Amino acid sequence: MSQPPLLVLYGSQTGTAQDTAQRIARQAKRKRLQVQVLPLDNYNMANLISESLVVFVCATTGQGDPPDNMKNFWRFLFRKSLPVGSLSRLDCAVLGLGDSSYPKFNFVAKKLHKRLLQLGASALLPVGLADDQHDLGSDAVIDPWLASFWEKVLTLYSSLADVTPLREDEPLPPTYTFHFLDDVKEETGDRLRITTDQTVPSQSHPFPARLVSNRRVTDPSHFQDVRHIEFDITGSSIQFAAGDVVMMCPRNAPEDVEQFCQLLGLDPEGRFTLRPTDNTAVPARLPQPCSVRHLVESYLDIGAVPRRSFFEMLSTFSNNELEQEKLVEFSSAAGQSELHSYCNRPRRTALEVLADFPHTTAQLKVDYLLDLFPEIQPRSFSIASSLQAHPHRLQILVAVVRYKTKIHKPRRGLCSTWLASLDPAQGEVYVPLWVKKGTLKFPKDRDTPVIMVGPGTGVAPFRSAIQERIAEGKTANVLFFGCRSESRDFYFRSEWEEMMKAGHLTLFTAFSRDQEDKVYVQHRVKENAELLWDLIANKSACFYIAGNAKQMPASVSDALKEAFQQEGGMSADEAEQMFEAMERTGRLQSETWS
Protein backbone atom coordinates (compact mmCIF):
# COMPACT_ATOMS: atom_id res chain seq x y z
CA MET A 1 0.00 0.00 0.00
CA SER A 2 1.35 3.45 -0.80
CA GLN A 3 1.97 6.03 1.86
CA PRO A 4 -1.25 7.73 2.97
CA PRO A 5 -1.64 11.48 3.26
CA LEU A 6 -2.97 12.15 6.76
CA LEU A 7 -5.71 14.69 7.30
CA VAL A 8 -6.17 16.12 10.81
CA LEU A 9 -9.47 17.95 11.29
CA TYR A 10 -10.33 19.77 14.51
CA GLY A 11 -13.20 21.49 16.29
CA SER A 12 -11.74 23.86 18.88
CA GLN A 13 -13.32 26.58 21.02
CA THR A 14 -10.42 27.81 23.17
CA GLY A 15 -7.45 26.53 21.13
CA THR A 16 -6.67 23.31 23.05
CA ALA A 17 -8.04 20.96 20.36
CA GLN A 18 -6.19 23.00 17.72
CA ASP A 19 -2.96 22.64 19.72
CA THR A 20 -3.46 18.86 19.94
CA ALA A 21 -4.23 18.62 16.20
CA GLN A 22 -1.01 20.51 15.43
CA ARG A 23 0.90 18.18 17.74
CA ILE A 24 -0.40 15.16 15.77
CA ALA A 25 0.65 16.89 12.54
CA ARG A 26 4.19 17.46 13.90
CA GLN A 27 4.46 13.78 14.81
CA ALA A 28 3.31 12.90 11.28
CA LYS A 29 5.92 15.22 9.74
CA ARG A 30 8.65 13.56 11.82
CA LYS A 31 7.49 10.25 10.30
CA ARG A 32 7.79 12.03 6.92
CA LEU A 33 4.08 11.69 6.25
CA GLN A 34 2.24 14.22 4.12
CA VAL A 35 -0.19 15.94 6.48
CA GLN A 36 -2.79 18.67 6.38
CA VAL A 37 -4.42 20.30 9.45
CA LEU A 38 -7.69 22.25 9.20
CA PRO A 39 -10.58 23.42 11.35
CA LEU A 40 -13.58 21.24 10.37
CA ASP A 41 -15.55 24.12 8.86
CA ASN A 42 -12.64 25.06 6.55
CA TYR A 43 -12.66 21.59 5.00
CA ASN A 44 -14.75 20.77 1.94
CA MET A 45 -16.91 17.97 3.34
CA ALA A 46 -17.75 16.56 -0.08
CA ASN A 47 -14.13 15.30 -0.20
CA LEU A 48 -14.53 13.12 2.87
CA ILE A 49 -15.70 10.15 0.78
CA SER A 50 -12.33 9.99 -0.97
CA GLU A 51 -10.07 10.41 2.09
CA SER A 52 -8.22 7.36 3.36
CA LEU A 53 -6.83 8.44 6.77
CA VAL A 54 -8.37 11.13 8.99
CA VAL A 55 -7.96 12.03 12.65
CA PHE A 56 -10.73 14.13 14.21
CA VAL A 57 -9.85 16.12 17.34
CA CYS A 58 -12.79 17.83 18.98
CA ALA A 59 -13.75 19.63 22.12
CA THR A 60 -17.24 19.80 23.64
CA THR A 61 -18.64 23.20 24.65
CA GLY A 62 -21.51 24.37 26.82
CA GLN A 63 -24.25 21.81 27.22
CA GLY A 64 -22.73 19.20 24.92
CA ASP A 65 -22.48 21.47 21.86
CA PRO A 66 -19.89 21.34 19.06
CA PRO A 67 -17.36 24.23 18.95
CA ASP A 68 -18.13 27.17 16.64
CA ASN A 69 -15.61 26.13 13.99
CA MET A 70 -17.28 22.74 13.37
CA LYS A 71 -20.99 23.69 13.44
CA ASN A 72 -21.48 23.49 9.64
CA PHE A 73 -19.66 20.15 9.49
CA TRP A 74 -21.86 18.85 12.33
CA ARG A 75 -25.08 19.80 10.50
CA PHE A 76 -23.78 18.21 7.29
CA LEU A 77 -22.69 14.96 8.96
CA PHE A 78 -26.07 14.38 10.60
CA ARG A 79 -28.10 14.84 7.43
CA LYS A 80 -30.58 12.01 7.03
CA SER A 81 -29.83 11.92 3.29
CA LEU A 82 -26.20 10.73 3.66
CA PRO A 83 -25.95 7.17 2.28
CA VAL A 84 -25.06 4.51 4.85
CA GLY A 85 -21.84 3.26 3.22
CA SER A 86 -20.60 6.63 1.99
CA LEU A 87 -17.45 6.59 4.16
CA SER A 88 -16.49 2.95 3.62
CA ARG A 89 -13.02 3.91 2.25
CA LEU A 90 -12.16 5.88 5.36
CA ASP A 91 -9.85 4.81 8.19
CA CYS A 92 -10.35 7.25 11.03
CA ALA A 93 -9.73 7.95 14.69
CA VAL A 94 -11.57 10.34 17.02
CA LEU A 95 -9.94 12.09 19.96
CA GLY A 96 -12.18 14.08 22.32
CA LEU A 97 -11.05 16.79 24.73
CA GLY A 98 -13.39 17.30 27.65
CA ASP A 99 -13.87 17.89 31.34
CA SER A 100 -15.60 15.25 33.44
CA SER A 101 -16.98 17.87 35.85
CA TYR A 102 -19.53 18.71 33.11
CA PRO A 103 -22.55 16.40 32.68
CA LYS A 104 -22.06 15.96 28.91
CA PHE A 105 -18.43 14.84 29.15
CA ASN A 106 -16.89 14.52 25.66
CA PHE A 107 -20.36 14.29 24.15
CA VAL A 108 -19.28 15.63 20.72
CA ALA A 109 -16.44 13.09 20.28
CA LYS A 110 -18.64 10.15 21.32
CA LYS A 111 -21.45 11.19 18.99
CA LEU A 112 -19.06 11.87 16.09
CA HIS A 113 -17.39 8.46 16.51
CA LYS A 114 -20.77 6.71 16.43
CA ARG A 115 -21.93 8.64 13.34
CA LEU A 116 -18.73 7.93 11.36
CA LEU A 117 -19.18 4.19 12.02
CA GLN A 118 -22.85 4.46 10.93
CA LEU A 119 -21.63 5.92 7.62
CA GLY A 120 -19.30 2.98 7.07
CA ALA A 121 -15.94 4.36 8.25
CA SER A 122 -13.47 2.02 10.02
CA ALA A 123 -12.26 3.20 13.42
CA LEU A 124 -8.56 2.46 13.92
CA LEU A 125 -9.01 2.51 17.70
CA PRO A 126 -11.64 3.36 20.33
CA VAL A 127 -12.57 7.03 20.76
CA GLY A 128 -10.05 8.83 23.02
CA LEU A 129 -11.72 10.67 25.91
CA ALA A 130 -9.21 13.11 27.39
CA ASP A 131 -10.19 14.66 30.71
CA ASP A 132 -9.02 18.01 32.08
CA GLN A 133 -9.87 16.83 35.58
CA HIS A 134 -7.20 14.10 35.54
CA ASP A 135 -4.19 14.79 37.81
CA LEU A 136 -1.93 14.92 34.74
CA GLY A 137 -4.51 16.75 32.62
CA SER A 138 -5.60 15.69 29.13
CA ASP A 139 -2.17 14.24 28.32
CA ALA A 140 -2.84 11.27 30.61
CA VAL A 141 -5.20 10.02 27.87
CA ILE A 142 -3.71 11.71 24.79
CA ASP A 143 -0.16 10.24 25.12
CA PRO A 144 -1.12 6.53 25.21
CA TRP A 145 -3.91 7.12 22.66
CA LEU A 146 -1.44 8.64 20.19
CA ALA A 147 1.07 5.82 20.76
CA SER A 148 -1.55 3.22 19.82
CA PHE A 149 -2.77 5.36 16.90
CA TRP A 150 0.72 5.36 15.33
CA GLU A 151 1.07 1.62 15.96
CA LYS A 152 -2.18 1.02 14.03
CA VAL A 153 -1.05 3.32 11.19
CA LEU A 154 2.28 1.44 10.94
CA THR A 155 0.51 -1.93 10.66
CA LEU A 156 -1.89 -0.57 8.05
CA TYR A 157 0.79 1.12 5.96
CA SER A 158 3.85 -1.10 6.29
CA SER A 159 5.85 1.06 3.86
CA LEU A 160 6.19 3.64 6.68
CA ALA A 161 8.50 1.25 8.52
CA ASP A 162 11.17 1.77 5.82
CA VAL A 163 11.25 5.54 6.29
CA THR A 164 13.85 7.07 8.63
CA PRO A 165 11.97 9.50 10.86
CA LEU A 166 13.32 12.93 11.75
CA ARG A 167 15.10 13.05 15.12
CA GLU A 168 13.10 14.52 18.02
CA ASP A 169 15.70 17.22 18.60
CA GLU A 170 15.69 18.50 15.00
CA PRO A 171 13.45 21.50 14.32
CA LEU A 172 10.75 20.85 11.73
CA PRO A 173 10.55 23.33 8.85
CA PRO A 174 8.42 26.37 9.80
CA THR A 175 4.86 26.72 8.44
CA TYR A 176 5.61 30.23 7.11
CA THR A 177 8.67 32.23 6.17
CA PHE A 178 8.89 35.96 6.94
CA HIS A 179 9.97 38.25 4.12
CA PHE A 180 10.98 41.64 5.53
CA LEU A 181 10.40 44.72 3.39
CA ASP A 182 13.16 47.25 3.47
CA ASP A 183 11.07 49.97 1.86
CA VAL A 184 9.92 53.18 3.53
CA LYS A 185 7.51 52.34 6.33
CA GLU A 186 4.29 53.63 4.86
CA GLU A 187 1.06 53.76 6.79
CA THR A 188 -0.59 50.61 5.48
CA GLY A 189 -1.71 47.22 6.39
CA ASP A 190 -2.10 47.20 10.13
CA ARG A 191 -5.67 48.30 10.21
CA LEU A 192 -7.73 45.27 11.08
CA ARG A 193 -9.92 44.28 8.19
CA ILE A 194 -13.03 45.84 9.59
CA THR A 195 -16.29 46.44 7.88
CA THR A 196 -18.65 49.31 8.04
CA ASP A 197 -20.78 48.07 5.15
CA GLN A 198 -23.95 46.04 5.56
CA THR A 199 -22.41 42.60 6.02
CA VAL A 200 -23.06 41.24 9.50
CA PRO A 201 -19.88 41.67 11.57
CA SER A 202 -18.02 38.42 12.31
CA GLN A 203 -14.61 37.26 13.54
CA SER A 204 -13.03 37.83 10.13
CA HIS A 205 -14.89 41.15 9.71
CA PRO A 206 -15.43 42.71 13.15
CA PHE A 207 -17.14 46.09 13.56
CA PRO A 208 -15.01 48.93 15.02
CA ALA A 209 -17.31 50.05 17.85
CA ARG A 210 -16.52 53.37 19.47
CA LEU A 211 -16.00 53.18 23.22
CA VAL A 212 -18.52 55.57 24.79
CA SER A 213 -17.79 55.06 28.49
CA ASN A 214 -15.69 52.88 30.77
CA ARG A 215 -16.85 53.30 34.37
CA ARG A 216 -15.74 51.51 37.53
CA VAL A 217 -18.91 50.34 39.33
CA THR A 218 -17.33 48.98 42.52
CA ASP A 219 -16.46 51.25 45.45
CA PRO A 220 -12.81 52.45 45.32
CA SER A 221 -12.20 50.60 48.62
CA HIS A 222 -13.47 47.29 47.16
CA PHE A 223 -10.83 44.66 46.32
CA GLN A 224 -12.22 44.08 42.83
CA ASP A 225 -12.35 46.50 39.93
CA VAL A 226 -15.55 45.87 37.92
CA ARG A 227 -16.29 47.96 34.84
CA HIS A 228 -19.54 48.90 33.13
CA ILE A 229 -18.45 49.55 29.53
CA GLU A 230 -20.58 50.99 26.73
CA PHE A 231 -19.96 50.83 22.97
CA ASP A 232 -21.61 52.72 20.12
CA ILE A 233 -22.69 50.27 17.38
CA THR A 234 -24.43 52.81 15.11
CA GLY A 235 -24.23 51.72 11.46
CA SER A 236 -23.04 48.22 12.29
CA SER A 237 -26.24 46.28 11.41
CA ILE A 238 -25.59 44.37 14.68
CA GLN A 239 -28.78 42.94 16.20
CA PHE A 240 -28.94 41.10 19.50
CA ALA A 241 -31.46 39.75 21.97
CA ALA A 242 -31.30 39.06 25.70
CA GLY A 243 -28.89 36.19 26.38
CA ASP A 244 -26.60 36.95 23.41
CA VAL A 245 -22.85 37.49 23.79
CA VAL A 246 -20.36 39.94 22.33
CA MET A 247 -16.96 38.72 21.12
CA MET A 248 -13.69 40.64 20.92
CA CYS A 249 -9.99 39.93 20.47
CA PRO A 250 -7.85 41.53 23.18
CA ARG A 251 -4.37 43.00 22.71
CA ASN A 252 -1.12 42.47 24.57
CA ALA A 253 0.13 45.30 26.79
CA PRO A 254 2.61 47.71 25.11
CA GLU A 255 5.33 46.90 27.70
CA ASP A 256 4.97 43.15 26.95
CA VAL A 257 5.26 43.83 23.22
CA GLU A 258 8.45 45.87 23.84
CA GLN A 259 9.97 43.16 26.06
CA PHE A 260 9.16 40.43 23.55
CA CYS A 261 10.79 42.36 20.69
CA GLN A 262 13.86 43.05 22.84
CA LEU A 263 14.27 39.39 23.87
CA LEU A 264 14.11 38.28 20.23
CA GLY A 265 16.03 41.22 18.80
CA LEU A 266 13.12 42.30 16.58
CA ASP A 267 12.39 45.79 15.32
CA PRO A 268 8.71 46.47 16.20
CA GLU A 269 8.43 48.79 13.18
CA GLY A 270 9.81 46.18 10.75
CA ARG A 271 7.31 45.15 8.07
CA PHE A 272 7.02 41.75 6.43
CA THR A 273 4.88 39.51 4.29
CA LEU A 274 4.28 35.84 5.13
CA ARG A 275 4.82 33.00 2.67
CA PRO A 276 3.48 29.54 3.52
CA THR A 277 6.01 26.71 3.12
CA ASP A 278 3.28 24.22 2.19
CA ASN A 279 -0.40 24.55 1.26
CA THR A 280 -1.40 26.41 4.45
CA ALA A 281 -3.30 29.67 4.03
CA VAL A 282 -1.94 32.86 5.60
CA PRO A 283 -4.06 33.72 8.70
CA ALA A 284 -6.99 35.88 7.60
CA ARG A 285 -6.61 38.19 10.61
CA LEU A 286 -3.10 39.28 9.60
CA PRO A 287 -2.85 42.09 7.06
CA GLN A 288 -0.26 41.68 4.29
CA PRO A 289 2.18 43.41 4.68
CA CYS A 290 2.14 43.46 8.47
CA SER A 291 4.34 45.12 11.08
CA VAL A 292 6.09 43.17 13.83
CA ARG A 293 4.30 45.36 16.39
CA HIS A 294 0.87 44.45 15.01
CA LEU A 295 1.75 40.73 14.92
CA VAL A 296 2.93 40.70 18.55
CA GLU A 297 0.28 43.05 19.92
CA SER A 298 -2.84 41.70 18.22
CA TYR A 299 -2.09 38.14 17.14
CA LEU A 300 0.51 36.17 19.13
CA ASP A 301 -0.68 34.97 22.54
CA ILE A 302 2.51 35.76 24.47
CA GLY A 303 0.70 36.39 27.78
CA ALA A 304 -0.92 32.95 28.07
CA VAL A 305 0.39 30.03 30.14
CA PRO A 306 2.18 28.00 27.45
CA ARG A 307 1.21 24.41 26.70
CA ARG A 308 3.52 21.42 26.66
CA SER A 309 3.91 21.74 22.85
CA PHE A 310 5.59 25.13 23.37
CA PHE A 311 8.41 23.52 25.42
CA GLU A 312 8.66 20.64 22.93
CA MET A 313 9.28 23.07 20.09
CA LEU A 314 11.51 25.41 22.11
CA SER A 315 13.79 22.48 23.04
CA THR A 316 14.64 21.91 19.35
CA PHE A 317 16.22 25.40 19.09
CA SER A 318 18.33 25.25 22.21
CA ASN A 319 22.13 25.03 21.99
CA ASN A 320 22.59 25.45 25.73
CA GLU A 321 22.93 22.11 27.48
CA LEU A 322 21.30 23.08 30.79
CA GLU A 323 18.37 24.88 29.20
CA GLN A 324 17.79 22.15 26.66
CA GLU A 325 17.79 19.45 29.32
CA LYS A 326 15.09 21.32 31.25
CA LEU A 327 13.00 21.98 28.12
CA VAL A 328 13.17 18.29 27.10
CA GLU A 329 12.08 17.29 30.60
CA PHE A 330 9.11 19.70 30.46
CA SER A 331 8.01 18.25 27.13
CA SER A 332 8.27 14.60 28.20
CA ALA A 333 5.40 12.58 29.67
CA ALA A 334 7.45 11.99 32.83
CA GLY A 335 8.10 15.71 33.34
CA GLN A 336 4.48 16.84 33.45
CA SER A 337 4.20 17.36 37.20
CA GLU A 338 7.45 19.39 37.06
CA LEU A 339 6.01 21.45 34.23
CA HIS A 340 2.80 21.92 36.20
CA SER A 341 4.72 23.32 39.20
CA TYR A 342 6.88 25.57 37.02
CA CYS A 343 4.20 26.84 34.66
CA ASN A 344 0.54 26.06 35.37
CA ARG A 345 0.38 26.47 39.13
CA PRO A 346 2.05 29.92 39.26
CA ARG A 347 0.39 30.85 35.89
CA ARG A 348 3.75 31.71 34.28
CA THR A 349 3.33 33.33 30.86
CA ALA A 350 5.09 32.36 27.61
CA LEU A 351 6.89 35.72 27.70
CA GLU A 352 8.24 34.96 31.20
CA VAL A 353 9.38 31.51 30.03
CA LEU A 354 11.36 33.12 27.18
CA ALA A 355 13.04 35.39 29.73
CA ASP A 356 13.89 32.32 31.88
CA PHE A 357 15.60 30.58 28.92
CA PRO A 358 17.68 33.44 27.45
CA HIS A 359 20.19 31.31 25.48
CA THR A 360 17.43 29.37 23.76
CA THR A 361 15.39 32.51 23.10
CA ALA A 362 18.43 34.11 21.43
CA GLN A 363 18.47 31.19 18.95
CA LEU A 364 14.79 31.56 18.02
CA LYS A 365 14.24 32.32 14.34
CA VAL A 366 11.44 34.72 13.49
CA ASP A 367 10.02 32.21 10.94
CA TYR A 368 8.89 29.98 13.81
CA LEU A 369 6.84 32.58 15.71
CA LEU A 370 3.49 31.44 14.32
CA ASP A 371 4.30 27.79 15.06
CA LEU A 372 5.43 28.53 18.59
CA PHE A 373 2.73 30.94 19.78
CA PRO A 374 -0.97 30.28 19.41
CA GLU A 375 -3.24 32.99 18.06
CA ILE A 376 -4.98 35.19 20.66
CA GLN A 377 -8.46 33.68 21.06
CA PRO A 378 -11.56 35.88 21.06
CA ARG A 379 -13.17 36.46 24.48
CA SER A 380 -16.91 36.51 25.04
CA PHE A 381 -19.00 38.65 27.39
CA SER A 382 -22.71 38.46 28.14
CA ILE A 383 -24.39 41.57 26.75
CA ALA A 384 -25.77 43.58 29.69
CA SER A 385 -28.17 45.89 27.84
CA SER A 386 -31.16 45.72 25.50
CA LEU A 387 -31.46 47.49 22.16
CA GLN A 388 -35.03 48.51 23.10
CA ALA A 389 -33.76 50.39 26.17
CA HIS A 390 -30.46 51.58 24.64
CA PRO A 391 -30.74 51.85 20.83
CA HIS A 392 -27.38 51.74 18.95
CA ARG A 393 -25.58 50.85 22.18
CA LEU A 394 -24.04 47.66 23.55
CA GLN A 395 -23.03 47.39 27.21
CA ILE A 396 -21.02 44.81 29.17
CA LEU A 397 -20.06 44.25 32.81
CA VAL A 398 -16.42 43.17 33.21
CA ALA A 399 -14.57 42.07 36.34
CA VAL A 400 -10.89 42.97 35.89
CA VAL A 401 -8.93 39.76 36.55
CA ARG A 402 -5.95 40.26 38.84
CA TYR A 403 -4.51 37.82 41.39
CA LYS A 404 -1.29 36.81 43.12
CA THR A 405 0.72 33.62 42.74
CA LYS A 406 4.24 32.86 43.96
CA ILE A 407 5.53 34.97 41.04
CA HIS A 408 6.23 38.50 42.28
CA LYS A 409 4.34 40.28 39.50
CA PRO A 410 0.51 39.99 39.86
CA ARG A 411 -1.22 37.85 37.22
CA ARG A 412 -3.65 39.75 35.00
CA GLY A 413 -6.45 38.68 32.69
CA LEU A 414 -5.48 39.67 29.14
CA CYS A 415 -8.85 40.93 27.93
CA SER A 416 -10.18 42.53 31.12
CA THR A 417 -6.87 44.38 31.72
CA TRP A 418 -6.84 45.62 28.12
CA LEU A 419 -10.47 46.79 28.30
CA ALA A 420 -9.89 48.52 31.66
CA SER A 421 -6.94 50.43 30.16
CA LEU A 422 -9.02 51.99 27.37
CA ASP A 423 -9.97 55.57 28.17
CA PRO A 424 -12.37 57.45 25.89
CA ALA A 425 -11.32 60.71 27.57
CA GLN A 426 -7.87 60.31 25.94
CA GLY A 427 -9.33 60.49 22.41
CA GLU A 428 -11.51 58.22 20.31
CA VAL A 429 -11.08 54.51 21.02
CA TYR A 430 -12.46 51.77 18.75
CA VAL A 431 -12.85 48.12 19.73
CA PRO A 432 -13.39 45.58 16.93
CA LEU A 433 -16.28 43.31 17.97
CA TRP A 434 -19.05 41.03 16.74
CA VAL A 435 -22.08 39.35 18.33
CA LYS A 436 -22.96 35.69 18.73
CA LYS A 437 -26.20 33.95 19.71
CA GLY A 438 -26.07 33.04 23.39
CA THR A 439 -27.36 29.87 25.05
CA LEU A 440 -30.00 31.58 27.23
CA LYS A 441 -33.44 31.85 25.62
CA PHE A 442 -36.27 33.79 27.25
CA PRO A 443 -39.99 32.97 26.86
CA LYS A 444 -42.00 34.67 24.11
CA ASP A 445 -45.29 34.37 26.02
CA ARG A 446 -46.23 37.62 27.72
CA ASP A 447 -47.57 36.05 30.92
CA THR A 448 -44.77 33.53 31.62
CA PRO A 449 -42.88 34.69 34.72
CA VAL A 450 -39.09 34.62 34.67
CA ILE A 451 -36.97 33.84 37.76
CA MET A 452 -33.30 34.80 37.42
CA VAL A 453 -30.41 34.03 39.79
CA GLY A 454 -27.36 36.12 38.87
CA PRO A 455 -24.84 36.91 41.59
CA GLY A 456 -21.89 39.20 40.77
CA THR A 457 -21.28 39.81 37.06
CA GLY A 458 -23.69 36.89 36.43
CA VAL A 459 -26.39 39.56 36.55
CA ALA A 460 -25.27 40.95 33.14
CA PRO A 461 -27.49 38.82 30.84
CA PHE A 462 -30.44 39.35 33.21
CA ARG A 463 -30.16 43.13 33.03
CA SER A 464 -30.47 42.75 29.26
CA ALA A 465 -33.45 40.38 29.68
CA ILE A 466 -35.28 42.59 32.19
CA GLN A 467 -34.81 45.72 30.03
CA GLU A 468 -36.05 43.83 26.96
CA ARG A 469 -39.02 42.26 28.78
CA ILE A 470 -40.16 45.55 30.33
CA ALA A 471 -40.02 47.19 26.87
CA GLU A 472 -42.29 44.35 25.63
CA GLY A 473 -44.71 44.82 28.55
CA LYS A 474 -43.61 41.63 30.36
CA THR A 475 -43.55 42.54 34.05
CA ALA A 476 -43.43 39.15 35.83
CA ASN A 477 -39.69 39.38 36.55
CA VAL A 478 -38.01 37.99 39.67
CA LEU A 479 -34.28 38.57 40.25
CA PHE A 480 -32.01 37.11 42.93
CA PHE A 481 -28.81 39.16 43.09
CA GLY A 482 -25.88 38.50 45.39
CA CYS A 483 -22.60 40.28 46.06
CA ARG A 484 -20.25 40.89 48.98
CA SER A 485 -21.52 44.20 50.24
CA GLU A 486 -24.49 46.49 49.67
CA SER A 487 -22.28 49.57 49.69
CA ARG A 488 -19.40 48.25 47.57
CA ASP A 489 -20.49 45.98 44.70
CA PHE A 490 -24.28 46.22 44.32
CA TYR A 491 -24.35 46.65 40.52
CA PHE A 492 -27.20 48.66 38.90
CA ARG A 493 -28.84 49.31 42.26
CA SER A 494 -30.69 52.51 41.29
CA GLU A 495 -32.06 50.86 38.11
CA TRP A 496 -33.45 47.91 40.06
CA GLU A 497 -35.04 50.27 42.57
CA GLU A 498 -36.81 52.22 39.81
CA MET A 499 -38.10 49.02 38.23
CA MET A 500 -39.39 47.81 41.60
CA LYS A 501 -41.19 51.13 42.19
CA ALA A 502 -42.84 50.78 38.78
CA GLY A 503 -43.97 47.24 39.67
CA HIS A 504 -41.84 45.64 36.92
CA LEU A 505 -39.45 43.67 39.13
CA THR A 506 -39.32 41.66 42.33
CA LEU A 507 -35.78 41.74 43.75
CA PHE A 508 -34.14 39.57 46.42
CA THR A 509 -30.61 40.45 47.51
CA ALA A 510 -27.91 38.55 49.38
CA PHE A 511 -24.92 40.53 50.69
CA SER A 512 -22.57 37.82 51.86
CA ARG A 513 -20.17 39.92 53.98
CA ASP A 514 -22.52 42.53 55.50
CA GLN A 515 -23.29 40.42 58.58
CA GLU A 516 -21.68 37.77 60.78
CA ASP A 517 -23.12 34.79 58.89
CA LYS A 518 -22.52 34.64 55.17
CA VAL A 519 -25.72 34.89 53.14
CA TYR A 520 -25.71 33.75 49.50
CA VAL A 521 -28.32 33.66 46.73
CA GLN A 522 -29.11 29.99 47.44
CA HIS A 523 -30.23 30.98 50.98
CA ARG A 524 -32.65 33.54 49.49
CA VAL A 525 -33.95 30.89 47.07
CA LYS A 526 -34.67 28.60 50.06
CA GLU A 527 -36.39 31.38 52.03
CA ASN A 528 -38.71 32.09 49.10
CA ALA A 529 -39.63 28.49 48.37
CA GLU A 530 -43.37 29.19 48.57
CA LEU A 531 -43.28 32.00 45.99
CA LEU A 532 -41.00 30.03 43.64
CA TRP A 533 -43.17 26.90 43.85
CA ASP A 534 -46.28 28.94 43.04
CA LEU A 535 -44.60 30.61 40.04
CA ILE A 536 -43.16 27.34 38.69
CA ALA A 537 -45.99 24.90 39.43
CA ASN A 538 -49.00 27.17 38.83
CA LYS A 539 -47.73 29.83 36.43
CA SER A 540 -45.19 27.81 34.34
CA ALA A 541 -42.31 30.15 35.22
CA CYS A 542 -38.86 29.69 33.67
CA PHE A 543 -35.79 29.59 35.93
CA TYR A 544 -32.31 30.87 35.00
CA ILE A 545 -28.87 30.72 36.65
CA ALA A 546 -25.83 32.71 35.48
CA GLY A 547 -22.44 33.34 37.04
CA ASN A 548 -19.27 31.72 38.28
CA ALA A 549 -19.25 27.94 37.88
CA LYS A 550 -17.62 27.10 41.24
CA GLN A 551 -20.23 26.08 43.87
CA MET A 552 -23.02 28.55 43.15
CA PRO A 553 -24.93 26.77 40.33
CA ALA A 554 -25.04 23.45 42.22
CA SER A 555 -26.06 25.15 45.50
CA VAL A 556 -28.87 27.09 43.78
CA SER A 557 -30.05 23.91 42.02
CA ASP A 558 -30.14 22.06 45.37
CA ALA A 559 -32.10 24.90 46.98
CA LEU A 560 -34.65 24.76 44.15
CA LYS A 561 -35.08 20.97 44.50
CA GLU A 562 -35.59 21.47 48.24
CA ALA A 563 -38.35 23.97 47.44
CA PHE A 564 -40.05 21.34 45.25
CA GLN A 565 -39.93 18.86 48.14
CA GLN A 566 -41.03 21.31 50.82
CA GLU A 567 -43.81 23.10 48.93
CA GLY A 568 -44.80 20.44 46.42
CA GLY A 569 -44.73 17.54 48.87
CA MET A 570 -42.32 15.65 46.60
CA SER A 571 -39.78 12.96 47.41
CA ALA A 572 -36.11 13.67 46.63
CA ASP A 573 -36.40 11.50 43.48
CA GLU A 574 -39.51 13.29 42.25
CA ALA A 575 -37.89 16.69 42.83
CA GLU A 576 -34.86 15.51 40.84
CA GLN A 577 -37.13 14.32 38.00
CA MET A 578 -39.03 17.62 37.93
CA PHE A 579 -35.72 19.52 37.83
CA GLU A 580 -34.46 17.37 34.92
CA ALA A 581 -37.76 17.73 33.05
CA MET A 582 -37.47 21.54 33.36
CA GLU A 583 -33.91 21.37 31.98
CA ARG A 584 -34.99 19.17 29.06
CA THR A 585 -37.83 21.48 28.04
CA GLY A 586 -35.78 24.68 28.41
CA ARG A 587 -37.70 25.94 31.45
CA LEU A 588 -34.48 25.75 33.43
CA GLN A 589 -31.34 27.15 31.82
CA SER A 590 -27.91 28.07 33.09
CA GLU A 591 -24.91 29.90 31.73
CA THR A 592 -21.85 29.54 33.89
CA TRP A 593 -18.17 30.28 33.38
CA SER A 594 -15.05 29.23 35.22
Side-chain angles (χ1 to χ4, degrees), residues 288-315:
Q288 293 273 40
C290 179
S291 72
V292 170
R293 184 183 302 284
H294 181 77
L295 173 76
V296 182
E297 182 181 69
S298 302
Y299 190 83
L300 301 179
D301 203 354
I302 61 173
V305 176
R307 299 185 167 101
R308 175 178 165 186
S309 56
F310 178 84
F311 294 91
E312 208 173 276
M313 222 178 297
L314 211 52
S315 70

Side-chain angles (χ1 to χ4, degrees), residues 222-298:
H222 190 56
F223 78 102
Q224 191 167 40
D225 178 358
V226 175
R227 300 301 179 102
H228 179 208
I229 299 176
E230 182 171 41
F231 300 100
D232 181 354
I233 53 168
T234 307
S236 68
S237 74
I238 287 178
Q239 292 293 316
F240 57 85
D244 288 349
V245 291
V246 62
M247 311 289 294
M248 52 190 85
C249 286
R251 294 190 188 152
N252 289 308
E255 62 271 23
D256 289 351
V257 175
E258 290 303 324
Q259 188 192 355
F260 182 88
C261 291
Q262 269 176 346
L263 282 170
L264 274 85
L266 295 170
D267 171 12
E269 307 314 320
R271 287 167 69 251
F272 62 89
T273 57
L274 283 178
R275 288 184 204 157
T277 53
D278 52 21
N279 51 4
T280 317
V282 170
R285 273 182 54 206
L286 283 181
Q288 293 273 40
C290 179
S291 72
V292 170
R293 184 183 302 284
H294 181 77
L295 173 76
V296 182
E297 182 181 69
S298 302

Side-chain angles (χ1 to χ4, degrees), residues 3 52 68 107 169 197 286 329 382 398 463 481:
Q3 219 182 291
S52 55
D68 290 344
F107 183 75
D169 58 355
D197 58 20
L286 283 181
E329 181 192 354
S382 294
V398 181
R463 179 176 182 255
F481 173 74

